[in-house]
Amino acid sequence: MKNLFLVLLLTVLVFAQNDAHTVYNLKVEEPLSNNLTKVIINKLKAVDKEHAKVIILEINSSGGKVEAANSICRELDFLAENGVPTYAYVTQAQGASALLAVACEKIYMQPGATLGNVVLKTTFGSIDKEAIKVAKEYFGECAKLHMYPVALMQAMVDPSMEVRQISYRAQPLFKTTEELNEMRSDPSKPNKEIHDKGVIVKRGAVAIFTATECKKYGICREVYETKTKLLAALNLTEYNVEKVSNVSSDTLTQILTHKWMRILFLTLGFLGILIEFLSPGIGVPILGGMAFLFLFFIGGTYAGLVESWEIVLFVLGLGFIGLEVFAMPGMIVIGVAGAVMCFCGVLFSMQSFVYPSTEREMSLFMGNVMAITMSIGANIGMFFSISNLFPKKKPLGPLSLETGQISKAHNENLAKNQELVGKTGKVIATLRPSGRVEIDEEFYDVVTQGGMISAGETVSVLFVEGNRIIVEKTEAVSEASENTEEKAENTEKTEES
């Protein structure tokens, strides 16, 4: 019985050890933009946490946005909390990408690799003190969590720091000059046990460390020429190495998610719809427009940048606009509501938040609003340009009738409409006050004098103004005719008497 128990226990242990059998390898080889960051986060979220042995981030990036990197760091922390460690294998980790490396549990580097050089400046080129303060907190938190020298990590961000290497009770430490002075003034720390080894980071420039320096100062564990040697040294060769799609090589995603490419798709999409209004019935412009709008949303959806509700909001907006144009002309409220929904759907799909709550989010929000406004302005300009050239210029010319034919057809329609005066018809779509009626088995767009007439009612054509056909309910017309006849009879009787 005891032997059986031992066999079962060993079996459980074997399965438990083999449960984590996958090494995930993710390459980051581009500056961290907002779009790229969300792509990386979605790839990290797709990691099978139950079977992941470790995640290795191969970093060869020149920078990006620090807050974008911090968003990735939060996902790395979440993986660590679920028992999935992350290692960084650095070729180059400068700027914001240095924070990615520091956020990993262990750092390994290639010969000649560099880490640091996080230069933070404002739009006008001056040092961004507020951004430096925030970034120092990020680097400090990660350094404390993974036991990296905090002062050296923060010196990669703050050019005002001077970091010295000291020895205290035979223990190597890295302290700023201010921290060293505090130690010497502390009576509990005898000065004879504090030995200043000299300045490591000079004041006036952000720190950047080579692979040799990182190993010397305890930042990186070891230097390996290739990833294969790294895997062998860590005894990971026996595990399945699953290469998560190389973020930088995903060219299609990068193109489709680029901000200005998406604005271009949006502009061309609406332009196609506008051209269709100029030449109704052709179909090609609207199909092209819908294709560009599809590219606008599908790229963001594929990269995880667009939520489904944002697409629904945009489609509903288009539906409202179509309802106002084709079914309920004159109902401006519906058209305006549709336009607002389309605008909001596009705006929300270009950012990861709804309402801006920070200065950076406000800046991004205003930039997106300006970009969409520019797209709308470009559409309006192209629309009027095309509408002026539409009947005359090739290749758009063949899509419309010649001017003479249009005038002739227009005059024939006006003459035909004049013949409708006095005729009756049936309301097909409720007149609010405009809608459609059927007269002599033909359909006409008509308008009332202000009242609403329900579908199914009978109306009579009162008069025609240009291309506007004015109608009223038959009962009202009959009463008006009877009143006119009565007045005429009374007038005749008065004259006879």
Side-chain angles (χ1 to χ4, degrees), residues 98-387:
L99 181 57
L100 282 189
V102 178
C104 292
E105 183 178 319
K106 297 177 182 178
I107 299 176
Y108 300 92
M109 302 180 77
Q110 282 187 331
T114 55
L115 176 69
N117 195 33
V118 187
V119 180
L120 300 174
K121 293 185 176 181
T122 64
T123 308
F124 304 102
S126 59
I127 295 176
D128 193 338
K129 295 182 179 179
E130 186 63 31
I132 290 174
K133 181 180 178 182
V134 174
K136 278 183 68 176
E137 292 180 3
Y138 293 159
F139 276 81
E141 290 172 1
C142 291
K144 291 175 183 177
L145 181 63
H146 302 301
M147 305 298 291
Y148 299 130
V150 175
L152 293 181
M153 298 298 97
Q154 292 184 330
M156 294 191 296
V157 179
D158 189 352
S160 67
M161 292 179 64
E162 182 179 72
V163 183
R164 312 178 76 92
Q165 183 177 7
I166 65 173
S167 175
Y168 176 66
R169 293 180 178 175
Q171 181 183 3
L173 299 174
F174 298 92
K175 299 289 184 180
T176 65
T177 301
E178 293 77 12
E179 289 173 336
L180 176 58
N181 293 333
E182 288 179 7
M183 285 184 67
R184 284 177 170 166
S185 62
D186 187 348
S188 66
K189 296 183 172 111
N191 285 334
K192 63 181 181 179
E193 296 184 6
I194 301 173
H195 302 283
D196 186 357
K197 300 293 184 179
V199 176
I200 299 298
V201 178
K202 294 182 180 180
R203 201 186 308 273
V206 294
I208 180 170
F209 303 107
T210 64
T212 303
E213 290 172 330
C214 286
K215 184 179 178 182
K216 179 181 177 181
Y217 302 145
I219 298 173
C220 86
R221 297 298 181 95
E222 193 53 78
V223 178
Y224 295 103
E225 292 183 359
T226 64
K227 184 180 65 180
T228 302
K229 292 184 177 181
L230 170 65
L231 294 174
L234 298 179
N235 297 319
L236 296 175
T237 52
E238 61 186 61
Y239 295 90
N240 298 326
V241 178
E242 182 173 326
K243 294 183 178 180
V244 183
S245 177
N246 185 345
V247 176
S248 64
S249 66
D250 199 345
T251 308
L252 179 60
T253 302
Q254 291 296 302
I255 293 174
L256 293 179
T257 57
H258 192 278
K259 177 179 178 179
W260 291 108
M261 285 301 298
R262 296 187 73 201
I263 290 296
L264 177 63
F265 293 149
L266 183 68
T267 303
L268 294 176
F270 279 122
L271 182 62
I273 296 174
L274 290 173
I275 292 176
E276 181 66 22
F277 286 149
L278 286 175
S279 54
I282 294 173
V284 175
I286 196 169
L287 289 177
M290 296 305 293
F292 280 114
L293 291 177
F294 175 79
L295 289 175
F296 173 84
F297 283 106
I298 195 62
T301 303
Y302 175 70
L305 304 174
V306 178
E307 303 291 342
S308 57
W309 67 268
E310 295 165 347
I311 300 177
V312 171
L313 182 63
F314 179 80
V315 172
L316 283 175
L318 286 181
F320 273 50
I321 293 174
L323 185 66
E324 197 277 334
V325 171
F326 298 108
M328 305 171 66
M331 296 295 290
I332 299 176
V333 174
I334 294 178
V336 171
V340 171
M341 291 168 71
C342 285
F343 187 92
C344 292
V346 171
L347 177 63
F348 295 152
S349 72
M350 297 178 68
Q351 56 196 34
S352 58
F353 54 88
V354 177
Y355 301 106
S357 56
T358 65
E359 185 177 345
R360 174 189 161 276
E361 288 182 351
M362 178 58 71
S363 176
L364 180 61
F365 174 81
M366 295 305 297
N368 289 337
V369 170
M370 185 176 296
I372 298 172
T373 304
M374 289 172 60
S375 174
I376 295 173
N379 268 302
I380 293 174
M382 286 187 287
F383 176 76
F384 282 109
S385 298
I386 292 173
S387 63

Side-chain angles (χ1 to χ4, degrees), residues 61-105:
S61 173
S62 59
K65 298 182 177 181
V66 173
E67 288 202 10
N70 189 49
S71 299
I72 300 175
C73 294
R74 287 196 292 268
E75 188 62 31
L76 296 177
D77 291 341
F78 177 75
L79 289 169
E81 291 172 1
N82 284 271
V84 183
T86 54
Y87 299 165
Y89 183 52
V90 177
T91 300
Q92 177 186 223
Q94 295 191 29
S97 61
L99 181 57
L100 282 189
V102 178
C104 292
E105 183 178 319

